Every structure is written in C-alpha cells, then in structure tokens.
C-alpha cells in the first residue's frame, strides 16, 4: 500500500489524467472547425516521398503507387508550453480527435492507408502549434495512355491531390519545398519502364457547383524499354520474313516444298501477331508494333502469291510448248526417285504418272518407242520417251523463272528500305 | 439460493476487473511509456510460418509470420503474489499503448482475423508486456533475372516504427541472430530456401529523422529441373530434329523444307511460352540466350537446305550447258539422257537432271545398248559420248552435296561446344 502510493507518485503520466488531451487542450476546442475558421484560408504544405511504383497496367490504363504523404499546417489550438521546444509524437489514435486536412486523390480508383501492425499514421505536434501529419498510402490512379507509338512510347502520368471539402477560400494547398517537395526512394525502378523525371506542379481546378480548388500534381514520365519487344515481336517477325525469302531460291518444280514454306511462315506471323495483342487494350487506332507486324505479314503473304504466280506461269509456258510440239501421250512412267522430287512422296516402284504439263516431246518419241519395244522387250523402261531435244528441253529445264530471279533482289531490298523508314520515323 | 450463487462469481464482484487491475483509466495510454524521457526499447522476435508465394511478374513475395514485441510499461504493473503473468486477447490492445511497427515496402498486409483477431497480450507483474500477432505480408523484392532460371534471389522484409524516431523508440532484435525461427518445414515448390537471418540498421528520412529498421533477409535458389523439362529439353530436341534434314536425300525437296520450317515454328512457340510468365525486363536472360541460339541453329538448317537446293540447280544447269556444247545439232536424245541421268536405260523427255537415280552404268551393258540403239534408231548416234564415264556423270550421280556432308559434322559439333560453354558459365 505504501509502496503502491510511492509507485503512483513516480508515474508522471498519472498525475494529470489524459495528459495528451489536457496538454493539447482537446476538450477546450471544437476541432470540427478548421483552424482560423471564418478568417483567412489556412495554408497546408504537402511533402511526398514515393516509396515505389508498383505496377503500370496498359489494359486498365492505370498505375499503382505507394507513397508517404506528409501534411504541414499550423493550428494554434494545439500549441502547448514547453521549455525545450521539442515536439510531441503521437500515433493514429489522436487523429480522430483533432482537425486534419481532407486531402484526396483525384482520379484514383482504389486506395488505402496501410494498417499493419497498426494504422501507418504519425502525428507530431510542435509547441507553437505546427503539426506534421504523415501517412503511408497505396493508391491506384487513372493514367490516360496513348499507344500510337507502342512499344516505342513514353507515357506521362500524374497523381493529383486536392482537398475534398475546402476550396481555395478555406484551404490553400501548396508544395512545401517547391519543386524539391517530391523525393523518391533510393532504388525506385520498374522492370518495363525507365522513369524519366519526377516533378511537382500545382494548379487550380474549377467545379461548377462548388468553386475553385487548389490541386497539386505529381507528374512522371515513363519511357518503355524496347528490348523485350524486340526480342519477343520484332525479331521473330523479321526472321519469318527472311525465311519466306528462302522460297525464291528453291527450285520452282518443288511445288509442295515452296507452298508449305510459304504457308507455314504465314501461320507463324499470325501467331506472333495474336501474341502481341493479348496483353494490350483494344484501342481504335493502329499502334507502331501493329504497323511493323502487318507489313511483315504482307511480305510473307506476297511470297506465297509470288509462288502461285510462278507456278501458274510455268504451267502456261509448258502448255504453250506442248501446243507447239503437238500432242503427246500424257502418261509415262518414271522411276521412283524422280517421282519423289515431283510430289514428295516415297514410291517403292516405278510409277506411271500423268505429267501432261511437262510436255512430252513429240511424236517421234512414240515411233521410237514402238521401235524400241520391238527390239527390247526385256527392258520395259525403254518404252519411255526419249525426246527432249532442242530448245523445248532447254525451256523446261531452265529452272529459274524470271519472277523468282527478280524477287530474290526486290523483296529483301524493299524490306530493308521499309526498316530504315520505320526505325527512323519512330526512334 | 440466488444470493448464494452471486457471491460465488468472483469476476462479478468487482466490475471491469482487468481494467481495475491494470488501472487503465488512470493513465493516458495514447502517450508512450516514459513519455518525455529516454527512448523506450522494444525487442522484436519472429517465427516465420510460411513463405506463401514468390511472384516474378509482380516482383514480390508473401510471407506469414508470428511477430512478437517485448517492452516494459510500468503503468501496467500490478501486484501479484505468485509472479504469474496475465494473458489477454485483442480487445485490450485498443486501450493501451503498443508500438506502431509497420513493414516498409509492403504492398498488402493484414492481421489474421479468424476466428477472432490473432493477437495475444501478456502482461507480467512488473510491467513487462509480450504482444504477439499473426500477420501475412506481401512485400517488394527487387529481382535480377539476368541468370534466370539459374538464379538466386535475395529478398528482405523490413520492420520499422512509423511515428517514433530512434529518440523515442529503439527497435532491436531480442535475441540477436537467434531471434528468427522458422517452422520445421518451410517449403516452396520452385525454390530452395537458404537460411533466414536478421540484421538491423538506421534509416533516414529527410522530413522526419532517423528510424531504427530491422531486416529479415533470406536467399532463394531456384530449382532448375522444371525449366530443364519445360524449355531446355524441348529446344535441344528441336535442334537435333533439324539435323535430321542433313541425312535426308537432297532430292526430297518438300520433306527437307517442311522439316526445317516446322522446327522453326516449334522453336518460336517455345520462346513465346517462356516469356508468358515473366516480367518484361530490359535485359537478356540466360534462358533467352539458350533459346535464341537454338533458334538460330534451326534457322540456319533451313538456309543450309536452300543453299544446297540452289547449288544443285546451278550444277544441273551447268551440266546442261556442257551437254549442249558437246552434242551435235541434231541432238542425240540417247546420249543426252545418258549424260543427264547416268543410265541409258532410262530416258525421259522431262529429264530431272540432278534428281536422277544413282546408278552407274555397268560396263558390260554398254555393248548391248549400243547395239540396241543402232538397231532402233535412225538417228546418227555415233557421236554419242562415251565420255560419260568421265567426271561429268560422276558429278551428277553424286547425291550428297558437299555442304550436307560438312553440315552433318559442323552443326552438331558447334551446338555441343555452345552447350559446354553455356552450362559452365551459368552453373
């Protein structure tokens, strides 16, 4: 009991109950009214330290940022006497009892004050009534993005602070240290972007129903790293276009080969294009990457059309030759290996193939063949025609169509010129 | 009987016993212990329950831990005969002072609330307090993927007081290095967790001063097996599959072309698959190096066949020109065909020079054929070349191009060397 009394005397907080409240005269004032109520507007300084930019979403067109938001103002009702001029620090529970500015984030989608382990709020009161009020907040805010130069684009986003209730007649919001009010953590970095600059600005916003408000802006510019897209989209597209040029060097008689080469490169280009659009918003204008992929797709498509033209013209040419030489039997047998080159199928034995487009040189063959037949029954192959003389053979055996020869030069050079224009324009 | 029962209810006799016992109303607990005096030391202790997930795309990790704080608040001391502590749940927390520790760089966090708030408060007679809670926190971790998937990531969870600088609150690890314990089997599917260890430092904020910061550091080493199975092995198989093309007869044009082009398509799909679950970083990752070099190998095998095909066609044209120079004006089909396909038993109007069978004309047959020829033909065949057995025919009959022969050795050899270099650099 005696000990208890002694202990009680030693407890400095006990002597005056609710010392903070008594010290700060909480009960004496009505803190629902702002400081200087009815008088001049109260200036509230703002200071921001950005902890991190968590994510930038193209599809939602927003960004998420975590920051320490600090408010500075003077409330004389909170002044207290102190001999050593030191401030008093409190946590979040005092907030509910005094007046604090009601700053909100304009154009924010979601935001919250972190509350682990307790609400991340700090209040520091100085003897003359100056108050420092600090919060840790994560906010997701809208950012209008323009993708017409994606992925070689730069986006400008800004976070806007404004008081909800008090217009500029009641509360003046300003950056406490001017341009230096905005500071960032040591290693703020995003994987996909390079943060070009962080700057603070302020302005006035007019609402027709409620008046003029002070608005503070945190502006930052994000420049996208192109490396990922070069590796993921541009480089594969370029390789596919080059692969489609391989078709011009392959013998035009290899029909299945050239057609499957062309059609598979078209398929791969199509897959690349679908992959890029998957993570993008569905905008109504064309993006820079779309321009590149669609033109590459066009090149690949034209190589398929080119071969169709070559094949068609070859057929016409041979028919012309056929007409010149007269008709001949269309069927003749070939041995297995030669057949393989034509249709790509493996044959076990000699086949009889209908090779009408490939002109059968003249009737002389048939006469010769018949003669052969008489003399060599044991070699059935001799039945085949043996013509192939003169310029007929020369035309058919000339394996390069003039279109192919020109294409080998035209396609690569036009593509290179396109690349020069594209990168020169967008970089 | 009622009165008798009432007397027996010990808790009812004195209302609000805890509050009376701990003298809550007599003190102002919004102010810290020893307010205005020296800094209060708060010891921290932790037990990590689990590492829930590591996200590469968001660059964060989620951890669940038991966080315990120890300090001394003399205002809470009570007299006790047996020196036993009193245990309370979360409802008392709101009425007394607790340290306001928060997790720096955390994105989301919460104190578990099932079935009631997972909070424990234990007060000892001399005023020592043990405050324990169960928290799940998602915090940022800067990850470096330049060696992905053969990488190690170092992450840390940081604790700090929000309001009180080091002049008001001193945060320290209660047992030094042994303060952090882990559950028996803390386990992640994709990573090997190396030991968790603790450190502490001071952190400076320009506006608010110096704060004590405690760190929980851990290192994660990624298991490569999944990526071996998912990415490296398929890529290696595709490259090996593309080598099969060098062993296939060069006359099988569609086969070799479609083999090459389909392996290119598959490689392209594998590459797209890897990047789907990765953040879009601006540097090249180890897995990118492997996949792109493999892609280049596969691409080169397609170009190699284009070269082989083109050179074969050229060769064929040369042979034809050569043959034309030798032949007389009338053109001798027999000898022509002999020259073109190396076998006079075959002759096609549509000679597929270069694609012909690989058969040498046996010497013995020749006399017969000469006879036959003379008998059946009325052309002047005497100038038929016997020079066939020279190197002209040999060249045509040779069905393996030199490029193919060398490729069969060069491609595998170079790929094996690349693999040796890659695995020794990154492992």
């Amino acid at each position: 009991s005696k000990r208890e009394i002694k202990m009680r005397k030693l407890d400095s907080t006990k002597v005056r109950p609710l010392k903070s409240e008594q010290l700060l005269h909480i009960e004496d004032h009505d803190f629902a009214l702002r400081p200087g109520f009815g008088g001049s507007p109260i200036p509230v300084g703002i200071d921001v330290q950005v902890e991190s930019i968590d994510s930038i979403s193209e599809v939602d067109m927003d960004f998420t940022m975590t920051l320490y938001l600090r408010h500075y103002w003077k409330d004389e009702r909170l002044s207290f006497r102190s001999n050593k001029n030191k401030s008093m620090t409190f946590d979040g529970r005092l907030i509910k009892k005094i007046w604090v500015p009601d700053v909100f984030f304009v154009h924010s989608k979601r935001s919250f004050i972190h509350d682990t382990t307790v609400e991340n709020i700090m209040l520091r009161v100085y003897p003359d009534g100056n108050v420092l009020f600090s919060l840790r907040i994560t906010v997701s805010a809208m950012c209008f993005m323009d993708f017409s130069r994606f992925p070689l684009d730069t986006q400008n986003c800004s976070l806007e602070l404004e008081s909800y209730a008090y217009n500029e007649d009641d509360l003046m919001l300003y950056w406490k240290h001017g341009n230096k009010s905005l500071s960032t953590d040591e290693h703020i970095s995003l994987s996909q972007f390079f943060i070009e600059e962080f700057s603070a600005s302020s302005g006035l916003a007019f609402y027709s129903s409620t008046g003029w408000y002070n608005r503070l802006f945190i502006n930052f510019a994000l420049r996208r790293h192109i490396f990922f897209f070069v590796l993921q989209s541009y480089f594969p597209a370029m390789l596919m276009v080059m692969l489609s040029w391989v078709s011009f060097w392959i013998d035009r008689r290899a029909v299945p080969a050239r057609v499957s080469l062309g059609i598979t490169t078209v398929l791969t280009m199509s897959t690349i294009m679908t992959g890029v659009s998957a993570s993008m918003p569905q905008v109504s204008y064309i993006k820079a990457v779309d321009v590149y992929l669609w033109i590459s797709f066009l090149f690949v498509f034209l190589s398929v059309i080119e071969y169709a033209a070559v094949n068609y013209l070859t057929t016409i040419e041979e028919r012309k030759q056929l007409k010149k030489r007269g008709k001949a039997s269309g069927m003749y047998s070939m041995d297995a290996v030669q057949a393989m080159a034509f249709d790509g199928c493996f044959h076990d034995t000699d086949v009889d193939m209908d090779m009408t487009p490939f002109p059968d040189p003249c009737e002389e063959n048939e006469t010769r063949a018949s003669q052969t037949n008489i003399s060599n029954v044991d070699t059935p192959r001799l039945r085949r025609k043996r013509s192939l003389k003169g310029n007929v053979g020369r035309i058919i055996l000339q394996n390069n169509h003039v279109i192919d020869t020109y294409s080998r030069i035209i396609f690569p050079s036009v593509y290179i010129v396109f690349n020069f224009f594209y990168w020169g324009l967008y970089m | 009987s009622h009165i008798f029962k009432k007397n027996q209810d010990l808790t009812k006799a004195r209302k609000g016993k805890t509050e009376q016992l701990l003298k809550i109303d007599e003190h102002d607990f919004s102010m810290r212990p020893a307010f205005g005096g020296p800094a209060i030391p708060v010891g921290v202790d932790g037990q990590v329950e689990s590492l829930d997930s590591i996200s590469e795309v968001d660059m964060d990790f989620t951890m669940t831990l038991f966080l315990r704080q120890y300090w001394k608040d003399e205002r809470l001391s009570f007299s006790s005969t047996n020196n036993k502590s009193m245990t309370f749940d979360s409802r008392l927390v709101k009425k007394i002072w607790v340290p306001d520790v928060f997790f720096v760089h955390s994105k989301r966090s919460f104190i578990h609330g099932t079935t009631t708030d997972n909070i424990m408060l234990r007060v000892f007679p001399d005023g020592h307090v043990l405050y324990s809670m169960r928290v799940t926190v998602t915090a940022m971790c800067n990850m470096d993927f330049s060696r992905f998937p053969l990488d190690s990531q170092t992450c840390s969870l940081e604790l700090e007081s929000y309001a009180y600088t080091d002049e008001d609150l001193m945060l320290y690890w209660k047992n030094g290095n042994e303060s952090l314990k882990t559950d028996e089997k803390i386990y992640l599917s994709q990573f090997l967790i190396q030991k968790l260890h603790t450190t502490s430092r001071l952190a400076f904020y320009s506006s608010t001063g110096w704060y004590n910061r405690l760190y929980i550091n851990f290192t994660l080493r990624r298991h490569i097996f999944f990526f071996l199975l998912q990415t490296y092995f398929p890529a290696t198989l595709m490259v090996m599959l593309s080598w099969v093309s060098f062993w296939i007869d060069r006359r099988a044009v569609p086969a070799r072309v479609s083999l090459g082009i389909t392996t290119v398509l598959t490689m392209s799909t594998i590459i797209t698959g890897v990047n789907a679950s990765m953040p879009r970083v601006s540097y090249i990752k180890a897995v990118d190096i492997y996949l792109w070099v493999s892609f280049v190998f596969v691409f080169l095998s397609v170009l190699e066949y284009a070269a082989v095909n083109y050179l074969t066609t050229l060769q064929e044209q040369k042979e034809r020109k050569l043959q034309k120079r030798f032949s007389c004006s009338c053109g001798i089909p027999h000898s022509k065909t002999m020259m073109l396909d190396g076998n006079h038993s075959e002759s096609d109007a549509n000679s597929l020079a270069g694609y012909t069978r690989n058969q040498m004309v046996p010497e013995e047959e020749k006399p017969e054929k000469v006879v036959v020829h003379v008998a059946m033909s009325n052309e002047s065949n005497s100038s038929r070349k016997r020079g066939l057995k020279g190197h002209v025919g040999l060249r045509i009959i040779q069905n393996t191009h030199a490029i193919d022969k060398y490729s069969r050795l060069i491609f595998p050899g170079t790929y094996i060397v690349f693999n040796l270099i890659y695995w020794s650099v990154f492992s």
Side-chain angles (χ1 to χ4, degrees):
Chain A
S1 40
K2 208 177 183 178
R3 210 165 133 262
E4 271 181 348
I5 298 165
K6 195 169 183 201
M7 278 179 84
R8 271 201 211 110
K9 274 219 150 63
L10 285 174
D11 181 359
S12 56
T13 61
K14 193 198 164 174
V15 173
R16 293 159 231 146
L18 293 170
K19 183 177 186 177
S20 58
E21 298 191 357
Q22 221 198 42
L23 201 64
L24 297 176
H25 315 293
I26 301 282
E27 302 299 318
D28 294 347
H29 307 280
D30 180 7
F31 282 96
L33 302 172
R34 69 166 178 91
F37 189 81
S40 55
I42 173 171
V44 174
I46 300 282
D47 190 323
V48 167
Q49 180 168 335
V50 178
E51 193 182 51
S52 65
I53 298 184
D54 298 331
S55 69
I56 317 275
S57 167
E58 281 88 16
V59 179
D60 299 326
M61 287 225 216
D62 64 23
F63 66 94
T64 305
M65 186 190 272
T66 302
L67 60 144
Y68 297 92
L69 181 64
R70 303 180 191 109
H71 310 68
Y72 302 78
W73 73 95
K74 181 163 180 175
D75 191 346
E76 281 172 358
R77 300 171 290 186
L78 292 169
S79 61
F80 58 94
R81 225 191 336 232
S82 157
N83 33 22
K84 37 190 167 52
N85 213 24
K86 265 192 77 187
S87 62
M88 290 203 287
T89 304
F90 303 95
D91 59 18
R93 279 171 288 193
L94 197 61
I95 303 298
K96 298 171 188 54
K97 298 188 178 148
I98 66 168
W99 178 89
V100 292
D102 59 343
V103 170
F104 81 109
F105 298 97
V106 197
H107 301 125
S108 69
K109 295 185 178 184
R110 285 172 305 279
S111 52
F112 59 94
I113 300 176
H114 289 261
D115 63 356
T116 311
T117 58
V118 292
E119 287 218 307
N120 293 184
I121 293 178
M122 170 181 90
L123 202 61
R124 196 177 279 179
V125 185
Y126 291 84
D128 58 354
N130 275 311
V131 186
L132 160 58
F133 172 45
S134 168
L135 300 159
R136 190 167 86 103
I137 298 175
T138 291
V139 55
S140 289
M142 239 173 63
C143 174
F144 182 71
M145 300 186 184
D146 174 26
F147 294 114
S148 52
R149 291 176 68 101
F150 178 91
L152 302 117
D153 58 339
T154 298
Q155 302 297 345
N156 287 309
C157 292
S158 67
L159 187 61
E160 307 169 26
L161 292 91
E162 193 177 294
S163 163
Y164 198 84
Y166 300 101
N167 59 21
E168 63 159 354
D169 296 329
D170 284 316
L171 191 148
M172 273 185 348
L173 221 51
Y174 67 101
W175 286 110
K176 183 136 184 74
H177 307 289
N179 237 2
K180 297 194 200 53
S181 312
L182 201 55
S183 61
T184 59
D185 251 10
E186 332 76 49
H187 50 259
I188 201 177
S189 71
L190 286 161
S191 58
Q192 202 192 144
F193 293 89
F194 174 68
I195 303 174
E196 273 186 341
E197 43 127 10
F198 256 108
S199 67
S201 60
S202 66
L204 282 167
F206 180 69
Y207 293 82
S208 49
S209 342
T210 42
W212 289 90
Y213 288 81
N214 280 115
R215 189 180 286 186
L216 301 180
F217 299 86
I218 298 172
N219 308 301
F220 54 100
L222 301 165
R223 192 160 48 103
R224 201 181 299 267
H225 288 306
I226 187 150
F227 184 79
F228 174 80
F229 295 93
V230 165
L231 217 58
Q232 187 76 347
S233 305
Y234 287 97
F235 198 47
M238 222 181 283
L239 284 181
M240 284 302 118
V241 175
M242 289 184 192
L243 213 54
S244 71
W245 301 337
V246 165
S247 156
F248 306 139
W249 298 82
I250 291 178
D251 198 324
R252 64 178 168 152
R253 294 170 295 179
V255 184
R258 286 189 69 165
V259 169
S260 64
L261 180 57
I263 215 59
T264 310
T265 45
V266 167
L267 175 63
T268 314
M269 275 305 303
S270 180
T271 309
I272 292 173
M273 282 160 62
T274 312
V276 168
S277 320
S279 59
M280 291 293 301
Q282 295 160 348
V283 290
S284 64
Y285 46 85
I286 198 162
K287 304 186 282 288
V289 69
D290 284 342
V291 169
Y292 195 89
L293 291 178
W294 276 103
I295 292 187
S296 302
F297 186 84
L298 195 68
F299 271 83
V300 168
F301 188 74
L302 284 177
S303 78
V304 177
I305 304 283
E306 184 265 359
Y307 182 63
V310 164
N311 189 291
Y312 179 66
L313 292 173
T314 302
T315 310
I316 289 186
E317 190 181 278
E318 277 153 355
R319 225 173 265 147
K320 243 188 291 182
Q321 296 303 326
L322 194 67
K323 281 206 190 91
K324 235 195 285 182
R325 297 286 163 178
K327 290 215 57 195
S329 73
M331 293 286 291
Y332 68 102
S333 74
M334 312 168 65
D335 87 342
V337 174
Q338 292 158 334
M340 186 162 75
F342 274 107
D343 64 2
C345 305
F346 185 76
H347 301 278
D348 283 333
T349 54
D350 295 354
V351 293
D352 281 330
M353 288 188 79
D354 187 342
M355 302 296 291
T356 325
F358 293 85
D360 196 16
C362 44
E363 310 89 307
E364 301 151 278
N365 273 352
E366 295 192 44
T367 47
R368 238 179 282 134
S370 51
Q371 286 171 359
T372 311
N373 240 343
I374 295 165
S375 31
N376 283 299
V377 279
D378 54 328
T379 334
R381 274 190 231 110
L382 291 172
R383 212 179 18 235
R384 274 167 290 113
K385 338 126 196 76
R386 355 181 115 172
S387 96
L388 220 227
K389 72 161 121 172
N391 54 351
V392 172
R394 217 184 298 137
I395 289 171
I396 294 161
L397 292 173
Q398 188 182 334
N399 286 321
N400 274 341
H401 199 278
V402 63
I403 294 184
D404 267 346
T405 316
Y406 286 135
S407 298
R408 289 173 192 175
I409 303 169
I410 292 180
F411 273 66
S413 46
V414 174
Y415 194 67
I416 289 173
V417 165
F418 158 67
N419 267 282
F420 273 128
F421 270 121
Y422 182 88
W423 295 107
L425 185 67
Y426 281 106
M427 287 291 220
Chain B
S1 55
H2 279 294
I3 298 166
F4 191 74
K5 272 206 172 118
K6 271 202 201 109
N7 268 335
Q8 294 232 323
D9 183 0
L10 289 168
T11 62
K12 192 181 171 209
R14 292 158 233 152
K15 289 190 202 147
K17 184 175 186 176
T18 51
E19 300 191 357
Q20 226 197 39
L21 199 65
L22 296 178
K23 309 193 257 298
I24 300 285
D25 289 334
E26 294 173 16
H27 307 283
D28 178 10
F29 280 99
S30 62
M31 298 168 72
R32 68 169 180 91
F35 190 81
I40 174 173
V42 174
V44 176
D45 190 322
Q47 180 169 334
V48 178
E49 194 183 37
S50 66
L51 265 173
D52 299 328
S53 70
I54 317 276
S55 167
E56 281 86 17
V57 179
D58 299 323
M59 287 227 216
D60 63 28
F61 66 95
T62 304
M63 183 190 274
T64 301
L65 67 151
F66 295 94
L67 185 65
R68 303 183 193 107
Q69 298 168 67
Y70 306 78
W71 70 95
K72 181 166 179 173
D73 191 346
E74 280 173 357
R75 300 171 291 186
L76 291 169
S77 62
F78 57 95
S79 61
S80 160
T81 44
N82 49 7
N83 215 22
K84 265 192 77 186
S85 63
M86 290 204 285
T87 303
F88 304 96
D89 61 14
S90 64
R91 282 166 287 191
L92 192 61
V93 172
K94 297 173 187 56
K95 297 188 178 148
I96 66 167
W97 180 89
V98 292
D100 58 341
V101 168
F102 80 109
F103 298 98
V104 197
H105 299 122
S106 69
K107 295 185 178 184
R108 285 174 303 279
S109 51
F110 60 95
I111 300 176
H112 288 259
T114 312
T115 55
T116 56
D117 280 340
N118 294 181
I119 290 178
M120 169 185 89
L121 205 59
R122 194 176 284 173
V123 185
F124 292 84
D126 60 353
H128 273 108
V129 185
L130 159 58
Y131 174 43
S132 167
M133 68 185 86
R134 190 166 85 101
V135 175
T136 291
V137 56
T138 302
M140 243 170 60
C141 175
N142 261 335
M143 301 187 183
D144 174 26
F145 296 113
S146 52
R147 292 176 68 101
F148 177 90
L150 301 115
D151 58 340
S152 265
Q153 303 296 346
T154 304
C155 294
S156 66
L157 187 62
E158 306 168 27
L159 291 91
E160 196 178 293
S161 161
Y162 195 80
Y164 299 102
T165 62
D166 70 340
E167 289 164 16
D168 284 317
L169 192 149
M170 275 184 349
L171 220 51
Y172 66 99
W173 286 111
K174 185 139 183 71
N175 297 316
N177 239 0
E178 261 92 283
S179 313
L180 201 61
K181 289 181 283 295
T182 58
D183 253 9
E184 331 75 48
K185 31 178 204 57
I186 214 183
Y187 171 75
L188 279 169
S189 57
Q190 203 188 142
F191 293 89
L192 175 70
I193 304 168
Q194 276 150 8
K195 185 117 179 66
L196 285 84
H197 67 282
T198 62
T199 50
S200 72
R201 255 183 23 203
L202 282 167
F204 179 68
Y205 294 82
S206 49
S207 329
T208 43
W210 290 89
Y211 290 81
N212 282 113
R213 189 181 287 186
L214 303 179
Y215 297 81
I216 299 173
N217 308 298
F218 55 97
T219 306
L220 302 164
R221 197 160 48 99
R222 201 182 300 270
H223 288 308
I224 187 160
F225 184 76
F226 172 77
F227 295 94
L228 273 179
L229 217 58
Q230 187 79 350
T231 308
Y232 286 95
F233 197 48
T236 310
L237 283 183
M238 282 304 118
V239 175
M240 290 186 191
L241 211 56
S242 71
W243 300 338
V244 165
S245 157
F246 306 137
W247 298 85
I248 292 178
D249 198 322
R250 63 177 166 152
R251 294 169 293 176
V253 185
R256 286 187 72 164
V257 167
S258 55
L259 181 58
I261 209 62
T262 310
T263 46
V264 166
L265 176 62
T266 313
M267 276 306 300
S268 176
T269 308
I270 293 174
I271 290 173
T272 313
V274 167
N275 281 316
S277 60
M278 290 294 298
R280 299 174 176 180
V281 289
S282 64
Y283 44 85
I284 200 163
K285 305 185 283 288
V287 70
D288 283 340
I289 294 178
Y290 194 89
L291 290 179
W292 279 103
V293 171
S294 303
F295 189 88
V296 165
F297 270 84
V298 168
F299 189 75
L300 286 177
S301 78
V302 177
L303 292 183
E304 183 267 358
Y305 183 64
V308 164
N309 185 292
Y310 180 66
L311 293 174
T312 301
T313 311
L314 276 184
Q315 194 182 64
E316 182 186 317
Q317 280 174 346
K318 236 187 299 179
E319 300 308 339
R320 236 173 281 135
K321 281 207 192 87
L322 209 64
Q323 164 225 320
K324 253 178 283 160
R325 260 194 301 122
F326 280 139
S327 66
C328 66
S329 54
C330 50
I332 303 171
H334 186 67
S335 25
K336 267 192 205 150
T337 55
M338 190 164 65
M339 176 150 149
L340 290 167
D341 53 32
N343 188 331
H344 12 237
S345 56
E346 296 178 26
S347 65
D348 285 349
N350 203 4
S351 171
L352 307 166
Y355 298 110
T356 51
R357 267 199 338 207
N358 185 12
Q359 280 185 11
M360 280 301 288
V361 178
E363 281 289 280
E364 320 81 64
E365 281 179 39
K366 283 195 176 162
E368 284 177 16
K369 293 208 170 141
V370 168
V371 164
V372 160
H373 182 80
V374 163
M376 70 191 186
S377 166
N378 52 2
E379 292 176 14
S380 47
N381 288 334
S382 44
S383 53
R384 196 183 8 132
K385 306 124 224 87
R386 292 234 160 89
L388 213 219
K389 47 183 136 160
H391 53 274
V392 170
L394 272 170
R395 234 182 279 137
I396 294 162
I397 300 163
Q398 192 179 338
N399 279 324
T400 308
H401 200 278
I403 294 184
D404 267 345
K405 271 218 192 82
Y406 289 134
S407 299
R408 289 173 192 174
L409 295 165
I410 291 179
F411 274 66
T414 317
Y415 195 67
I416 289 174
V417 167
F418 159 69
N419 266 282
L420 287 173
I421 296 176
Y422 180 89
W423 292 107
S424 55
V425 166
F426 284 107
S427 276

